Amino acid sequence: QVQLVESGGGLVQPGGSLRLSCAASGSIFSINTMGWYRQTPGKQRELVATITSGGSTKYADSVKGRFTISRENAKNTVYLQMNSLKPEDTAVYYCNVNIVTTAPYSFLEVWGQGTLVTVSS
């Protein structure tokens, strides 16, 4: 029905930058909130940032001032620009998208497959 394709993870040195992308495709009528979450082994998945259809954003305190979430509605894509990366940002990052599907209209929450970000020297 709906697929998410994430890209942009990798290895970066402390202080470096990465940009994650997540593109949604399939039976999409509209997209509401889009977001990024992250998870490390043995810990619960945590919110990194979200952005509503109107462009309102929310960030975890740990990333405020360093990460920026944005979206390109025409491409059904959400981005996460990550600057001044720290070793503690190392995690698998997951895209999350809340969608209204095409007829028969229904609400659907979809998760991406995850992309690994490693911050290390």
Side-chain angles (χ1 to χ4, degrees), residues 24-65:
S25 63
S27 304
I28 299 171
F29 176 74
S30 64
I31 300 180
N32 298 325
T33 300
M34 308 177 84
W36 291 94
Y37 292 72
R38 66 187 181 187
Q39 189 170 22
T40 54
K43 292 189 176 182
Q44 285 190 331
R45 193 171 296 185
E46 64 175 7
L47 181 146
V48 176
T50 60
I51 183 167
T52 68
S53 57
S56 296
T57 58
K58 181 170 68 173
Y59 295 92
D61 288 342
S62 59
V63 307
K64 281 181 182 176

PDB file of all heavy atoms in Angstrom, residues 24-65:
ATOM      1  N   ALA A  24       7.965   8.785   0.758  1.00  0.00           N
ATOM      2  CA  ALA A  24       6.786   7.923   0.820  1.00  0.00           C
ATOM      3  C   ALA A  24       6.175   7.781  -0.567  1.00  0.00           C
ATOM      4  O   ALA A  24       6.151   8.732  -1.349  1.00  0.00           O
ATOM      5  CB  ALA A  24       5.761   8.514   1.780  1.00  0.00           C
ATOM      6  N   SER A  25       5.679   6.589  -0.835  1.00  0.00           N
ATOM      7  CA  SER A  25       5.026   6.337  -2.126  1.00  0.00           C
ATOM      8  C   SER A  25       3.929   5.298  -1.944  1.00  0.00           C
ATOM      9  O   SER A  25       3.924   4.549  -0.971  1.00  0.00           O
ATOM     10  CB  SER A  25       6.044   5.848  -3.162  1.00  0.00           C
ATOM     11  OG  SER A  25       6.607   4.617  -2.768  1.00  0.00           O
ATOM     12  N   GLY A  26       3.006   5.268  -2.901  1.00  0.00           N
ATOM     13  CA  GLY A  26       1.923   4.296  -2.832  1.00  0.00           C
ATOM     14  C   GLY A  26       0.571   4.970  -2.813  1.00  0.00           C
ATOM     15  O   GLY A  26       0.376   6.028  -3.404  1.00  0.00           O
ATOM     16  N   SER A  27      -0.350   4.359  -2.095  1.00  0.00           N
ATOM     17  CA  SER A  27      -1.742   4.804  -2.070  1.00  0.00           C
ATOM     18  C   SER A  27      -1.943   5.958  -1.080  1.00  0.00           C
ATOM     19  O   SER A  27      -2.567   5.808  -0.044  1.00  0.00           O
ATOM     20  CB  SER A  27      -2.649   3.632  -1.711  1.00  0.00           C
ATOM     21  OG  SER A  27      -2.463   2.549  -2.603  1.00  0.00           O
ATOM     22  N   ILE A  28      -1.410   7.106  -1.434  1.00  0.00           N
ATOM     23  CA  ILE A  28      -1.410   8.256  -0.534  1.00  0.00           C
ATOM     24  C   ILE A  28      -2.389   9.312  -1.019  1.00  0.00           C
ATOM     25  O   ILE A  28      -2.274   9.792  -2.149  1.00  0.00           O
ATOM     26  CB  ILE A  28      -0.008   8.862  -0.443  1.00  0.00           C
ATOM     27  CG1 ILE A  28       0.980   7.834   0.121  1.00  0.00           C
ATOM     28  CG2 ILE A  28      -0.025  10.115   0.436  1.00  0.00           C
ATOM     29  CD1 ILE A  28       2.425   8.257   0.045  1.00  0.00           C
ATOM     30  N   PHE A  29      -3.335   9.674  -0.139  1.00  0.00           N
ATOM     31  CA  PHE A  29      -4.220  10.797  -0.415  1.00  0.00           C
ATOM     32  C   PHE A  29      -3.629  12.072   0.163  1.00  0.00           C
ATOM     33  O   PHE A  29      -3.589  13.105  -0.494  1.00  0.00           O
ATOM     34  CB  PHE A  29      -5.610  10.536   0.159  1.00  0.00           C
ATOM     35  CG  PHE A  29      -6.561  11.681  -0.006  1.00  0.00           C
ATOM     36  CD1 PHE A  29      -7.109  11.973  -1.240  1.00  0.00           C
ATOM     37  CD2 PHE A  29      -6.910  12.479   1.086  1.00  0.00           C
ATOM     38  CE1 PHE A  29      -7.971  13.044  -1.410  1.00  0.00           C
ATOM     39  CE2 PHE A  29      -7.775  13.551   0.931  1.00  0.00           C
ATOM     40  CZ  PHE A  29      -8.312  13.818  -0.321  1.00  0.00           C
ATOM     41  N   SER A  30      -3.194  11.977   1.404  1.00  0.00           N
ATOM     42  CA  SER A  30      -2.533  13.118   2.031  1.00  0.00           C
ATOM     43  C   SER A  30      -1.637  12.607   3.148  1.00  0.00           C
ATOM     44  O   SER A  30      -1.784  11.474   3.605  1.00  0.00           O
ATOM     45  CB  SER A  30      -3.539  14.122   2.587  1.00  0.00           C
ATOM     46  OG  SER A  30      -4.294  13.540   3.629  1.00  0.00           O
ATOM     47  N   ILE A  31      -0.714  13.463   3.562  1.00  0.00           N
ATOM     48  CA  ILE A  31       0.208  13.106   4.647  1.00  0.00           C
ATOM     49  C   ILE A  31       0.085  14.117   5.755  1.00  0.00           C
ATOM     50  O   ILE A  31       0.151  15.326   5.504  1.00  0.00           O
ATOM     51  CB  ILE A  31       1.659  13.026   4.151  1.00  0.00           C
ATOM     52  CG1 ILE A  31       1.795  11.967   3.057  1.00  0.00           C
ATOM     53  CG2 ILE A  31       2.605  12.717   5.312  1.00  0.00           C
ATOM     54  CD1 ILE A  31       3.203  11.820   2.513  1.00  0.00           C
ATOM     55  N   ASN A  32      -0.109  13.647   6.959  1.00  0.00           N
ATOM     56  CA  ASN A  32      -0.183  14.521   8.123  1.00  0.00           C
ATOM     57  C   ASN A  32       1.219  14.668   8.710  1.00  0.00           C
ATOM     58  O   ASN A  32       2.147  15.038   8.010  1.00  0.00           O
ATOM     59  CB  ASN A  32      -1.197  13.980   9.102  1.00  0.00           C
ATOM     60  CG  ASN A  32      -2.596  13.942   8.502  1.00  0.00           C
ATOM     61  OD1 ASN A  32      -2.975  14.822   7.714  1.00  0.00           O
ATOM     62  ND2 ASN A  32      -3.376  12.934   8.846  1.00  0.00           N
ATOM     63  N   THR A  33       1.376  14.355   9.953  1.00  0.00           N
ATOM     64  CA  THR A  33       2.672  14.534  10.609  1.00  0.00           C
ATOM     65  C   THR A  33       3.703  13.539  10.084  1.00  0.00           C
ATOM     66  O   THR A  33       3.394  12.375   9.871  1.00  0.00           O
ATOM     67  CB  THR A  33       2.525  14.383  12.129  1.00  0.00           C
ATOM     68  OG1 THR A  33       1.608  15.367  12.605  1.00  0.00           O
ATOM     69  CG2 THR A  33       3.867  14.557  12.821  1.00  0.00           C
ATOM     70  N   MET A  34       4.913  14.037   9.888  1.00  0.00           N
ATOM     71  CA  MET A  34       6.067  13.204   9.520  1.00  0.00           C
ATOM     72  C   MET A  34       7.124  13.405  10.603  1.00  0.00           C
ATOM     73  O   MET A  34       7.209  14.492  11.199  1.00  0.00           O
ATOM     74  CB  MET A  34       6.625  13.618   8.155  1.00  0.00           C
ATOM     75  CG  MET A  34       5.586  13.676   7.054  1.00  0.00           C
ATOM     76  SD  MET A  34       6.257  14.244   5.472  1.00  0.00           S
ATOM     77  CE  MET A  34       6.908  12.699   4.810  1.00  0.00           C
ATOM     78  N   GLY A  35       7.911  12.379  10.832  1.00  0.00           N
ATOM     79  CA  GLY A  35       8.894  12.526  11.892  1.00  0.00           C
ATOM     80  C   GLY A  35      10.043  11.556  11.797  1.00  0.00           C
ATOM     81  O   GLY A  35      10.060  10.643  10.964  1.00  0.00           O
ATOM     82  N   TRP A  36      11.012  11.804  12.668  1.00  0.00           N
ATOM     83  CA  TRP A  36      12.165  10.928  12.807  1.00  0.00           C
ATOM     84  C   TRP A  36      12.296  10.491  14.258  1.00  0.00           C
ATOM     85  O   TRP A  36      12.127  11.300  15.177  1.00  0.00           O
ATOM     86  CB  TRP A  36      13.438  11.659  12.378  1.00  0.00           C
ATOM     87  CG  TRP A  36      13.508  11.931  10.914  1.00  0.00           C
ATOM     88  CD1 TRP A  36      13.113  13.070  10.272  1.00  0.00           C
ATOM     89  CD2 TRP A  36      13.988  11.054   9.899  1.00  0.00           C
ATOM     90  NE1 TRP A  36      13.316  12.941   8.921  1.00  0.00           N
ATOM     91  CE2 TRP A  36      13.866  11.709   8.670  1.00  0.00           C
ATOM     92  CE3 TRP A  36      14.536   9.759   9.919  1.00  0.00           C
ATOM     93  CZ2 TRP A  36      14.260  11.125   7.465  1.00  0.00           C
ATOM     94  CZ3 TRP A  36      14.929   9.181   8.725  1.00  0.00           C
ATOM     95  CH2 TRP A  36      14.784   9.860   7.508  1.00  0.00           C
ATOM     96  N   TYR A  37      12.591   9.232  14.430  1.00  0.00           N
ATOM     97  CA  TYR A  37      12.840   8.644  15.739  1.00  0.00           C
ATOM     98  C   TYR A  37      14.178   7.917  15.658  1.00  0.00           C
ATOM     99  O   TYR A  37      14.672   7.631  14.582  1.00  0.00           O
ATOM    100  CB  TYR A  37      11.729   7.662  16.109  1.00  0.00           C
ATOM    101  CG  TYR A  37      10.394   8.320  16.347  1.00  0.00           C
ATOM    102  CD1 TYR A  37       9.650   8.835  15.288  1.00  0.00           C
ATOM    103  CD2 TYR A  37       9.873   8.436  17.634  1.00  0.00           C
ATOM    104  CE1 TYR A  37       8.432   9.447  15.503  1.00  0.00           C
ATOM    105  CE2 TYR A  37       8.649   9.054  17.865  1.00  0.00           C
ATOM    106  CZ  TYR A  37       7.939   9.560  16.793  1.00  0.00           C
ATOM    107  OH  TYR A  37       6.735  10.172  17.013  1.00  0.00           O
ATOM    108  N   ARG A  38      14.746   7.600  16.819  1.00  0.00           N
ATOM    109  CA  ARG A  38      15.990   6.845  16.819  1.00  0.00           C
ATOM    110  C   ARG A  38      15.999   5.846  17.959  1.00  0.00           C
ATOM    111  O   ARG A  38      15.300   6.008  18.963  1.00  0.00           O
ATOM    112  CB  ARG A  38      17.203   7.781  16.907  1.00  0.00           C
ATOM    113  CG  ARG A  38      17.329   8.546  18.201  1.00  0.00           C
ATOM    114  CD  ARG A  38      18.470   9.565  18.104  1.00  0.00           C
ATOM    115  NE  ARG A  38      18.653  10.306  19.344  1.00  0.00           N
ATOM    116  CZ  ARG A  38      19.481  11.339  19.471  1.00  0.00           C
ATOM    117  NH1 ARG A  38      20.209  11.759  18.422  1.00  0.00           N
ATOM    118  NH2 ARG A  38      19.600  11.965  20.622  1.00  0.00           N
ATOM    119  N   GLN A  39      16.826   4.825  17.778  1.00  0.00           N
ATOM    120  CA  GLN A  39      16.892   3.762  18.770  1.00  0.00           C
ATOM    121  C   GLN A  39      18.302   3.206  18.834  1.00  0.00           C
ATOM    122  O   GLN A  39      18.953   2.982  17.800  1.00  0.00           O
ATOM    123  CB  GLN A  39      15.909   2.650  18.414  1.00  0.00           C
ATOM    124  CG  GLN A  39      15.739   1.587  19.479  1.00  0.00           C
ATOM    125  CD  GLN A  39      14.587   0.652  19.169  1.00  0.00           C
ATOM    126  OE1 GLN A  39      14.157   0.508  18.026  1.00  0.00           O
ATOM    127  NE2 GLN A  39      14.049   0.027  20.202  1.00  0.00           N
ATOM    128  N   THR A  40      18.766   2.968  20.065  1.00  0.00           N
ATOM    129  CA  THR A  40      20.036   2.299  20.297  1.00  0.00           C
ATOM    130  C   THR A  40      19.763   0.985  21.009  1.00  0.00           C
ATOM    131  O   THR A  40      18.699   0.825  21.636  1.00  0.00           O
ATOM    132  CB  THR A  40      20.977   3.177  21.145  1.00  0.00           C
ATOM    133  OG1 THR A  40      20.302   3.555  22.348  1.00  0.00           O
ATOM    134  CG2 THR A  40      21.378   4.424  20.386  1.00  0.00           C
ATOM    135  N   PRO A  41      20.697   0.033  20.926  1.00  0.00           N
ATOM    136  CA  PRO A  41      20.457  -1.286  21.532  1.00  0.00           C
ATOM    137  C   PRO A  41      20.112  -1.177  23.007  1.00  0.00           C
ATOM    138  O   PRO A  41      20.784  -0.470  23.772  1.00  0.00           O
ATOM    139  CB  PRO A  41      21.791  -2.006  21.320  1.00  0.00           C
ATOM    140  CG  PRO A  41      22.353  -1.380  20.096  1.00  0.00           C
ATOM    141  CD  PRO A  41      21.960   0.064  20.178  1.00  0.00           C
ATOM    142  N   GLY A  42      19.060  -1.877  23.403  1.00  0.00           N
ATOM    143  CA  GLY A  42      18.655  -1.916  24.797  1.00  0.00           C
ATOM    144  C   GLY A  42      17.837  -0.730  25.259  1.00  0.00           C
ATOM    145  O   GLY A  42      17.461  -0.669  26.432  1.00  0.00           O
ATOM    146  N   LYS A  43      17.571   0.199  24.364  1.00  0.00           N
ATOM    147  CA  LYS A  43      16.792   1.376  24.734  1.00  0.00           C
ATOM    148  C   LYS A  43      15.533   1.475  23.902  1.00  0.00           C
ATOM    149  O   LYS A  43      15.436   0.912  22.806  1.00  0.00           O
ATOM    150  CB  LYS A  43      17.633   2.644  24.564  1.00  0.00           C
ATOM    151  CG  LYS A  43      18.781   2.758  25.539  1.00  0.00           C
ATOM    152  CD  LYS A  43      19.429   4.126  25.457  1.00  0.00           C
ATOM    153  CE  LYS A  43      20.517   4.304  26.492  1.00  0.00           C
ATOM    154  NZ  LYS A  43      21.125   5.653  26.450  1.00  0.00           N
ATOM    155  N   GLN A  44      14.563   2.218  24.431  1.00  0.00           N
ATOM    156  CA  GLN A  44      13.332   2.427  23.691  1.00  0.00           C
ATOM    157  C   GLN A  44      13.560   3.424  22.551  1.00  0.00           C
ATOM    158  O   GLN A  44      14.445   4.283  22.630  1.00  0.00           O
ATOM    159  CB  GLN A  44      12.252   2.973  24.626  1.00  0.00           C
ATOM    160  CG  GLN A  44      11.652   1.942  25.556  1.00  0.00           C
ATOM    161  CD  GLN A  44      10.428   2.468  26.284  1.00  0.00           C
ATOM    162  OE1 GLN A  44      10.315   3.667  26.532  1.00  0.00           O
ATOM    163  NE2 GLN A  44       9.509   1.583  26.623  1.00  0.00           N
ATOM    164  N   ARG A  45      12.748   3.272  21.532  1.00  0.00           N
ATOM    165  CA  ARG A  45      12.793   4.233  20.428  1.00  0.00           C
ATOM    166  C   ARG A  45      12.353   5.599  20.965  1.00  0.00           C
ATOM    167  O   ARG A  45      11.362   5.705  21.686  1.00  0.00           O
ATOM    168  CB  ARG A  45      11.875   3.764  19.304  1.00  0.00           C
ATOM    169  CG  ARG A  45      12.039   4.481  17.991  1.00  0.00           C
ATOM    170  CD  ARG A  45      11.251   3.801  16.896  1.00  0.00           C
ATOM    171  NE  ARG A  45      11.751   2.450  16.625  1.00  0.00           N
ATOM    172  CZ  ARG A  45      11.286   1.677  15.634  1.00  0.00           C
ATOM    173  NH1 ARG A  45      10.331   2.129  14.830  1.00  0.00           N
ATOM    174  NH2 ARG A  45      11.770   0.472  15.471  1.00  0.00           N
ATOM    175  N   GLU A  46      13.090   6.627  20.587  1.00  0.00           N
ATOM    176  CA  GLU A  46      12.775   7.964  21.086  1.00  0.00           C
ATOM    177  C   GLU A  46      12.548   8.934  19.943  1.00  0.00           C
ATOM    178  O   GLU A  46      13.128   8.803  18.859  1.00  0.00           O
ATOM    179  CB  GLU A  46      13.907   8.482  21.977  1.00  0.00           C
ATOM    180  CG  GLU A  46      15.236   8.678  21.267  1.00  0.00           C
ATOM    181  CD  GLU A  46      16.295   9.311  22.164  1.00  0.00           C
ATOM    182  OE1 GLU A  46      16.061   9.490  23.375  1.00  0.00           O
ATOM    183  OE2 GLU A  46      17.382   9.640  21.632  1.00  0.00           O
ATOM    184  N   LEU A  47      11.717   9.929  20.219  1.00  0.00           N
ATOM    185  CA  LEU A  47      11.425  10.958  19.234  1.00  0.00           C
ATOM    186  C   LEU A  47      12.642  11.850  19.029  1.00  0.00           C
ATOM    187  O   LEU A  47      13.287  12.261  19.996  1.00  0.00           O
ATOM    188  CB  LEU A  47      10.235  11.798  19.689  1.00  0.00           C
ATOM    189  CG  LEU A  47       9.763  12.915  18.788  1.00  0.00           C
ATOM    190  CD1 LEU A  47       8.245  13.073  18.896  1.00  0.00           C
ATOM    191  CD2 LEU A  47      10.430  14.236  19.144  1.00  0.00           C
ATOM    192  N   VAL A  48      12.928  12.139  17.777  1.00  0.00           N
ATOM    193  CA  VAL A  48      13.982  13.101  17.452  1.00  0.00           C
ATOM    194  C   VAL A  48      13.353  14.425  17.025  1.00  0.00           C
ATOM    195  O   VAL A  48      13.662  15.478  17.577  1.00  0.00           O
ATOM    196  CB  VAL A  48      14.895  12.571  16.332  1.00  0.00           C
ATOM    197  CG1 VAL A  48      15.930  13.633  15.945  1.00  0.00           C
ATOM    198  CG2 VAL A  48      15.588  11.279  16.768  1.00  0.00           C
ATOM    199  N   ALA A  49      12.451  14.349  16.052  1.00  0.00           N
ATOM    200  CA  ALA A  49      11.809  15.565  15.543  1.00  0.00           C
ATOM    201  C   ALA A  49      10.572  15.182  14.755  1.00  0.00           C
ATOM    202  O   ALA A  49      10.519  14.098  14.161  1.00  0.00           O
ATOM    203  CB  ALA A  49      12.759  16.355  14.655  1.00  0.00           C
ATOM    204  N   THR A  50       9.574  16.075  14.773  1.00  0.00           N
ATOM    205  CA  THR A  50       8.389  15.893  13.948  1.00  0.00           C
ATOM    206  C   THR A  50       8.038  17.199  13.260  1.00  0.00           C
ATOM    207  O   THR A  50       8.422  18.285  13.717  1.00  0.00           O
ATOM    208  CB  THR A  50       7.175  15.438  14.774  1.00  0.00           C
ATOM    209  OG1 THR A  50       6.878  16.434  15.758  1.00  0.00           O
ATOM    210  CG2 THR A  50       7.428  14.095  15.453  1.00  0.00           C
ATOM    211  N   ILE A  51       7.278  17.068  12.174  1.00  0.00           N
ATOM    212  CA  ILE A  51       6.812  18.247  11.446  1.00  0.00           C
ATOM    213  C   ILE A  51       5.395  17.965  10.951  1.00  0.00           C
ATOM    214  O   ILE A  51       5.121  16.903  10.381  1.00  0.00           O
ATOM    215  CB  ILE A  51       7.765  18.599  10.283  1.00  0.00           C
ATOM    216  CG1 ILE A  51       7.311  19.880   9.585  1.00  0.00           C
ATOM    217  CG2 ILE A  51       7.928  17.444   9.301  1.00  0.00           C
ATOM    218  CD1 ILE A  51       8.374  20.461   8.644  1.00  0.00           C
ATOM    219  N   THR A  52       4.500  18.911  11.203  1.00  0.00           N
ATOM    220  CA  THR A  52       3.119  18.742  10.784  1.00  0.00           C
ATOM    221  C   THR A  52       2.944  19.144   9.321  1.00  0.00           C
ATOM    222  O   THR A  52       3.849  19.703   8.701  1.00  0.00           O
ATOM    223  CB  THR A  52       2.185  19.587  11.648  1.00  0.00           C
ATOM    224  OG1 THR A  52       2.440  20.976  11.373  1.00  0.00           O
ATOM    225  CG2 THR A  52       2.404  19.319  13.131  1.00  0.00           C
ATOM    226  N   SER A  53       1.761  18.909   8.816  1.00  0.00           N
ATOM    227  CA  SER A  53       1.469  19.295   7.435  1.00  0.00           C
ATOM    228  C   SER A  53       1.529  20.809   7.264  1.00  0.00           C
ATOM    229  O   SER A  53       1.809  21.297   6.165  1.00  0.00           O
ATOM    230  CB  SER A  53       0.102  18.769   7.015  1.00  0.00           C
ATOM    231  OG  SER A  53      -0.902  19.235   7.896  1.00  0.00           O
ATOM    232  N   GLY A  54       1.312  21.515   8.346  1.00  0.00           N
ATOM    233  CA  GLY A  54       1.387  22.975   8.295  1.00  0.00           C
ATOM    234  C   GLY A  54       2.777  23.530   8.522  1.00  0.00           C
ATOM    235  O   GLY A  54       2.973  24.746   8.448  1.00  0.00           O
ATOM    236  N   GLY A  55       3.721  22.640   8.811  1.00  0.00           N
ATOM    237  CA  GLY A  55       5.102  23.075   8.981  1.00  0.00           C
ATOM    238  C   GLY A  55       5.542  23.310  10.412  1.00  0.00           C
ATOM    239  O   GLY A  55       6.685  23.715  10.650  1.00  0.00           O
ATOM    240  N   SER A  56       4.678  23.043  11.380  1.00  0.00           N
ATOM    241  CA  SER A  56       5.079  23.195  12.771  1.00  0.00           C
ATOM    242  C   SER A  56       6.015  22.061  13.164  1.00  0.00           C
ATOM    243  O   SER A  56       5.771  20.906  12.829  1.00  0.00           O
ATOM    244  CB  SER A  56       3.855  23.184  13.688  1.00  0.00           C
ATOM    245  OG  SER A  56       3.034  24.296  13.420  1.00  0.00           O
ATOM    246  N   THR A  57       7.068  22.412  13.881  1.00  0.00           N
ATOM    247  CA  THR A  57       8.086  21.423  14.218  1.00  0.00           C
ATOM    248  C   THR A  57       8.212  21.240  15.727  1.00  0.00           C
ATOM    249  O   THR A  57       7.877  22.127  16.512  1.00  0.00           O
ATOM    250  CB  THR A  57       9.454  21.828  13.660  1.00  0.00           C
ATOM    251  OG1 THR A  57       9.811  23.121  14.177  1.00  0.00           O
ATOM    252  CG2 THR A  57       9.427  21.886  12.140  1.00  0.00           C
ATOM    253  N   LYS A  58       8.713  20.059  16.092  1.00  0.00           N
ATOM    254  CA  LYS A  58       8.999  19.747  17.483  1.00  0.00           C
ATOM    255  C   LYS A  58      10.296  18.951  17.511  1.00  0.00           C
ATOM    256  O   LYS A  58      10.518  18.102  16.648  1.00  0.00           O
ATOM    257  CB  LYS A  58       7.862  18.937  18.092  1.00  0.00           C
ATOM    258  CG  LYS A  58       8.067  18.577  19.542  1.00  0.00           C
ATOM    259  CD  LYS A  58       6.801  17.979  20.160  1.00  0.00           C
ATOM    260  CE  LYS A  58       6.466  16.639  19.609  1.00  0.00           C
ATOM    261  NZ  LYS A  58       5.331  15.997  20.335  1.00  0.00           N
ATOM    262  N   TYR A  59      11.142  19.250  18.514  1.00  0.00           N
ATOM    263  CA  TYR A  59      12.433  18.583  18.618  1.00  0.00           C
ATOM    264  C   TYR A  59      12.664  18.044  20.017  1.00  0.00           C
ATOM    265  O   TYR A  59      12.216  18.633  21.004  1.00  0.00           O
ATOM    266  CB  TYR A  59      13.571  19.554  18.293  1.00  0.00           C
ATOM    267  CG  TYR A  59      13.584  20.063  16.873  1.00  0.00           C
ATOM    268  CD1 TYR A  59      12.938  21.243  16.538  1.00  0.00           C
ATOM    269  CD2 TYR A  59      14.242  19.353  15.870  1.00  0.00           C
ATOM    270  CE1 TYR A  59      12.942  21.712  15.235  1.00  0.00           C
ATOM    271  CE2 TYR A  59      14.261  19.816  14.566  1.00  0.00           C
ATOM    272  CZ  TYR A  59      13.598  20.996  14.257  1.00  0.00           C
ATOM    273  OH  TYR A  59      13.615  21.452  12.957  1.00  0.00           O
ATOM    274  N   ALA A  60      13.413  16.955  20.087  1.00  0.00           N
ATOM    275  CA  ALA A  60      13.911  16.502  21.381  1.00  0.00           C
ATOM    276  C   ALA A  60      14.913  17.532  21.890  1.00  0.00           C
ATOM    277  O   ALA A  60      15.645  18.150  21.100  1.00  0.00           O
ATOM    278  CB  ALA A  60      14.594  15.145  21.229  1.00  0.00           C
ATOM    279  N   ASP A  61      14.944  17.717  23.200  1.00  0.00           N
ATOM    280  CA  ASP A  61      15.861  18.704  23.772  1.00  0.00           C
ATOM    281  C   ASP A  61      17.312  18.425  23.375  1.00  0.00           C
ATOM    282  O   ASP A  61      18.102  19.350  23.179  1.00  0.00           O
ATOM    283  CB  ASP A  61      15.736  18.719  25.293  1.00  0.00           C
ATOM    284  CG  ASP A  61      14.438  19.337  25.763  1.00  0.00           C
ATOM    285  OD1 ASP A  61      13.792  20.047  24.972  1.00  0.00           O
ATOM    286  OD2 ASP A  61      14.064  19.115  26.934  1.00  0.00           O
ATOM    287  N   SER A  62      17.646  17.162  23.247  1.00  0.00           N
ATOM    288  CA  SER A  62      19.031  16.780  22.974  1.00  0.00           C
ATOM    289  C   SER A  62      19.514  17.179  21.582  1.00  0.00           C
ATOM    290  O   SER A  62      20.721  17.196  21.330  1.00  0.00           O
ATOM    291  CB  SER A  62      19.200  15.268  23.148  1.00  0.00           C
ATOM    292  OG  SER A  62      18.331  14.569  22.270  1.00  0.00           O
ATOM    293  N   VAL A  63      18.591  17.504  20.689  1.00  0.00           N
ATOM    294  CA  VAL A  63      18.997  17.840  19.321  1.00  0.00           C
ATOM    295  C   VAL A  63      18.647  19.268  18.929  1.00  0.00           C
ATOM    296  O   VAL A  63      19.004  19.712  17.834  1.00  0.00           O
ATOM    297  CB  VAL A  63      18.379  16.860  18.289  1.00  0.00           C
ATOM    298  CG1 VAL A  63      18.691  15.417  18.666  1.00  0.00           C
ATOM    299  CG2 VAL A  63      16.878  17.070  18.135  1.00  0.00           C
ATOM    300  N   LYS A  64      17.971  19.984  19.797  1.00  0.00           N
ATOM    301  CA  LYS A  64      17.581  21.362  19.480  1.00  0.00           C
ATOM    302  C   LYS A  64      18.806  22.207  19.169  1.00  0.00           C
ATOM    303  O   LYS A  64      19.812  22.152  19.870  1.00  0.00           O
ATOM    304  CB  LYS A  64      16.823  21.982  20.659  1.00  0.00           C
ATOM    305  CG  LYS A  64      15.382  21.552  20.757  1.00  0.00           C
ATOM    306  CD  LYS A  64      14.689  22.229  21.938  1.00  0.00           C
ATOM    307  CE  LYS A  64      13.254  21.763  22.060  1.00  0.00           C
ATOM    308  NZ  LYS A  64      12.590  22.331  23.254  1.00  0.00           N
ATOM    309  N   GLY A  65      18.703  22.978  18.089  1.00  0.00           N
ATOM    310  CA  GLY A  65      19.813  23.825  17.677  1.00  0.00           C
ATOM    311  C   GLY A  65      20.832  23.133  16.807  1.00  0.00           C
ATOM    312  O   GLY A  65      21.709  23.791  16.231  1.00  0.00           O
TER     313      GLY A  65
END
